[in-house]
Amino acid sequence: MGELMQGKTALVMGVANRWSLAYAIARSLAREGARLILTYQSERQRAATEELATAFAGGEAAACDVSRDDDLDRFFAGLRERGVALDAVVHSIAFANREDLEHPFYETSRAGFLLAQDVSAYSLVAVARRAAELMPRGGSILTLTYLGATRVVPNYNVMGVAKAALEASVRYLAAELGARGIRVNALSAGPVKTASARAIKDFSKILDEVAQRAPLRRVTDPGEVGDAALFLASDLGRGVTGDILFVDSGCHVMGF
Ligand code: IMJ
């Protein structure tokens, strides 16, 4: 166990289960001494998230639905009332209607488009504004993105457009929050078998292709995403803001 996050508090949003990238990130941060606050979206996930949180040396779990301003206000007011100061925030949240990931992009409905933007992109802005108020010492805000933001990946569709908005939001937030010592970055992870990826058809085929084509000739391990997040969340990343860091076995550099 190291000390990169000793005395620091990290809020990790989007831990659905132990396969979540948010969970791998929480693990890396906890390994270096961070005090953790994990959030889950719905009561259905309460027991599981609490169990994961306590496994991290006294971490805690709380409900927070990022698609509702009143719930965000309630959650962050609770932190403030307890005098919690944050050093790092990890936003690992995305959602699109299943049908929008299975039909042609041009068939995306207005409602489906807005839902993906709301949950997957705007939520970062909503979280960053409230979290910044709890970062008197400055801090690091991190989100998770995917190559489909800038390249066409089959079926990624409306999520790709939402991730494009998310990545642009990272740059605007970085520019505005930098004066307060708050850095904002995104990690672009290669395909990993998480709950939100398992739902995608032919996902195993995608993993096989990545393993053949990627410079490192293997798929991304969640622990690699966790350790890259640790770099950005800790003081090691103090000179980096507004950036998209690829943790994808080098996949994104390939032309075919
Ligand atoms: C998702 C769709 C299509 C292709 C995909 C993905 N590839 C990868 C993903 C190649 C790696 C996973 N990913 C990067 C995501 O951001 C997934 C987001 C997502 C997944 C679901 C599945 C279940 C559901 N809604 C979802 N919303 C967002 O109902």
Side-chain angles (χ1 to χ4, degrees):
M1 169 153 154
E3 304 189 328
L4 289 171
M5 297 297 289
Q6 211 69 56
K8 298 194 182 213
T9 301
L11 171 65
V12 182
M13 314 183 83
V15 182
N17 54 52
R18 74 190 68 228
W19 295 280
S20 300
L21 289 179
Y23 177 75
I25 292 170
R27 237 161 65 150
S28 287
L29 299 179
R31 191 186 75 217
E32 298 290 326
R35 168 191 172 201
L36 292 178
I37 302 168
L38 311 185
T39 72
Y40 51 89
Q41 188 209 347
S42 68
E43 286 304 316
R44 270 183 299 123
Q45 297 160 329
R46 173 193 287 274
T49 313
E50 277 174 352
E51 196 183 314
L52 295 177
T54 44
F56 297 130
E60 55 183 280
C64 183
D65 181 348
V66 296
S67 69
R68 294 180 44 183
D69 284 331
D70 58 350
D71 208 50
L72 282 162
D73 287 338
R74 176 198 58 78
F75 171 70
F76 279 97
L79 293 181
R80 173 184 287 278
E81 277 159 26
R82 291 164 52 207
V84 173
L86 297 174
D87 298 285
V89 175
V90 177
H91 170 278
S92 186
I93 294 169
F95 187 78
N97 285 325
R98 185 83 183 260
E99 64 194 52
D100 290 328
L101 302 173
E102 290 172 347
H103 295 125
F105 174 66
Y106 70 74
E107 289 181 4
T108 306
S109 67
R110 188 183 303 272
F113 189 97
L114 293 176
L115 174 68
Q117 288 284 335
D118 186 26
V119 177
S120 314
Y122 178 73
S123 63
L124 177 70
V125 183
V127 165
R129 178 169 68 249
R130 292 167 173 91
E133 295 301 313
L134 302 180
M135 292 180 149
R137 312 183 277 261
S140 171
I141 298 175
L142 255 183
T143 187
L144 273 290
T145 186
Y146 180 59
L147 186 64
T150 53
R151 310 286 175 79
V152 173
V153 174
N155 302 315
Y156 202 56
N157 303 1
V158 73
M159 269 309 307
V161 177
K163 290 299 193 187
L166 179 73
E167 292 185 5
S169 299
V170 163
R171 292 184 283 272
Y172 280 90
L173 290 169
E176 293 180 352
L177 297 176
R180 296 156 71 171
I182 299 170
R183 297 181 291 108
V184 187
N185 294 285
L187 282 177
S188 188
V192 175
K193 249 191 186 170
T194 64
S196 65
R198 265 176 223 278
I200 284 100
K201 61 175 186 307
D202 292 334
F203 198 74
S204 295
K205 241 168 68 183
I206 293 171
L207 290 178
D208 289 345
E209 273 187 38
V210 165
Q212 285 175 32
R213 296 180 191 199
L216 294 180
R217 303 296 197 280
R218 55 178 171 76
V219 296
T220 301
D221 180 88
E224 299 168 350
V225 178
D227 285 352
L230 170 64
F231 159 70
L232 289 171
S234 73
D235 205 46
L236 290 181
R238 63 192 177 280
V240 184
T241 194
D243 210 12
I244 315 293
L245 176 60
F246 287 85
V247 184
D248 68 343
S249 304
C251 235
H252 71 287
V253 307
M254 301 306 291
F256 58 91

